[in-house]
Amino acid sequence: IRGACLFDLVRMFGKAWNDGNPSTNPGVPIVLTATTIITGESQLPRNTVAEVYAQAIKDLKDAEALLPAENGFFANSVAASAMLARIYLQQGDYENAANSANKAITDALDNGYGLNAKYADEFPNPSSPAPVPNTPEDLFAMQVTTSSGTNVFQEFYSANGRGDIAISDKHLDLYEPGDDRLNLFYTSGGSTYTGKFENLYGNVHILRLAEMYLVRAEANFRMGTSIGADPVDDINTIRNRVNLPDYTSGELTLDKILLERKLELAFEGFTLH
């Protein structure tokens, strides 16, 4: 958890890894011991971006080695591998990104995880708001219950909440005809909304298996390698689930991989970074 939080904090409050020199750019303070009383000694200076990334990677490698592969809805070794893949991709460390994503995929499949049969199944919407367990695709998710608050994504993205975030035609035009992901959008009051966050008590998806196929595909494509699978096979795994035809190896480009990532993970918090 600390490694994941450090990674999110440094991306929010420090410059991006590839914006200038991460070894000198200020990141966030690294706090490794519990703070019980605020003193001068507890008010730490900002570490560099590189130092924060290094600590996040160390924490996640420790977690990967120490956690079991199955741990109920708590963090497990698969989640640690997946978060490492995300960090390495952010750094442009494509070899480690491919290896970590491959480990996450392999361990996930060996322990009962898998892509949902339908894209919409990843975003359960019961007839009345209610807590729903993690799906087989959720490698890590924040649990929401009726006694522990609500999923605030629902407040902003759903027409049943405040409905602040309407989806533009420019985004919808990015999808190919027949893409099943289009079916998750709906119109209300003349505006279009995503149906990903309709459940007021839905769990907050932090890491899901589909992202790992996209990371492995991108990293392998950039390196010209096939760690775990050919890039085209990983992309076709994502496309087949939403009823889209296969690409051939000759058709696949980096732009197509990045577009597939954009459409698959849209509105889940990735575009900012």
Side-chain angles (χ1 to χ4, degrees):
I1 297 297
R2 185 175 71 192
C5 287
L6 282 172
F7 178 48
D8 274 348
L9 286 168
V10 76
R11 290 192 296 173
M12 290 295 295
F13 295 104
K15 288 187 175 182
W17 179 265
N18 60 357
D19 181 1
N21 187 349
S23 296
T24 56
N25 285 338
V28 296
I30 297 175
V31 180
L32 303 181
T33 56
T35 302
T36 56
I37 301 174
I38 301 297
T39 65
E41 289 73 26
S42 68
Q43 295 174 333
L44 301 177
R46 294 169 71 172
N47 290 83
T48 66
V49 169
E51 289 170 336
V52 180
Y53 269 79
Q55 183 64 49
I57 290 170
K58 180 183 183 303
D59 284 346
L60 288 159
K61 283 185 173 180
D62 288 345
E64 185 181 53
L66 294 170
L67 286 169
E70 181 50 56
N71 200 20
F73 56 69
F74 295 98
N76 56 27
S77 62
V78 179
S81 297
M83 188 62 75
L84 279 168
R86 184 182 288 179
I87 291 179
Y88 289 133
L89 185 70
Q90 189 86 50
Q91 290 182 302
D93 183 349
Y94 300 120
E95 182 176 4
N96 277 322
N99 283 323
S100 291
N102 184 57
K103 186 176 189 310
I105 293 168
T106 302
D107 291 350
L109 297 179
D110 286 346
N111 285 277
Y113 294 91
L115 293 182
N116 294 302
K118 294 183 178 180
Y119 185 70
D121 292 343
E122 177 58 12
F123 310 97
N125 181 20
S127 56
S128 59
V132 178
N134 288 349
T135 79
E137 191 170 331
D138 287 321
L139 304 184
F140 188 63
M142 292 183 186
Q143 309 301 294
V144 179
T145 70
T146 54
S147 60
S148 66
T150 58
N151 185 332
V152 182
F153 281 101
Q154 193 269 356
E155 178 182 351
F156 293 101
Y157 279 94
S158 173
N160 295 317
R162 284 177 26 175
D164 293 334
I165 302 174
I167 312 305
S168 69
D169 290 340
K170 184 177 180 181
H171 176 78
L172 299 175
D173 290 344
L174 296 173
Y175 295 83
E176 296 172 50
D179 191 327
D180 191 44
R181 291 172 293 207
L182 280 169
N183 293 321
L184 206 56
F185 296 101
Y186 66 95
T187 300
S188 176
S191 296
T192 301
Y193 298 94
T194 176
K196 287 188 173 183
F197 310 111
E198 289 302 292
N199 186 6
L200 184 63
Y201 299 107
N203 292 339
V204 180
H205 310 281
I206 304 300
L207 292 159
R208 56 189 185 89
L209 185 58
E211 180 190 350
M212 293 300 103
Y213 286 107
L214 292 162
V215 171
R216 189 170 70 177
E218 179 182 343
N220 272 324
F221 190 89
R222 289 180 183 273
M223 295 189 297
T225 56
S226 298
I227 296 170
D230 288 334
V232 71
D233 292 332
D234 280 338
I235 291 301
N236 286 337
T237 294
I238 298 298
R239 289 175 60 81
N240 292 164
R241 199 250 295 261
V242 295
N243 302 326
L244 291 178
D246 286 350
Y247 284 132
T248 66
S249 295
E251 292 174 323
L252 191 63
T253 64
L254 181 59
D255 284 344
K256 288 180 177 178
I257 292 173
L258 296 177
L259 177 60
E260 207 65 53
R261 177 185 178 88
K262 179 181 180 68
L263 301 182
E264 176 70 23
L265 304 175
F267 315 114
E268 296 178 49
F270 291 88
T271 304
L272 181 63
H273 300 295

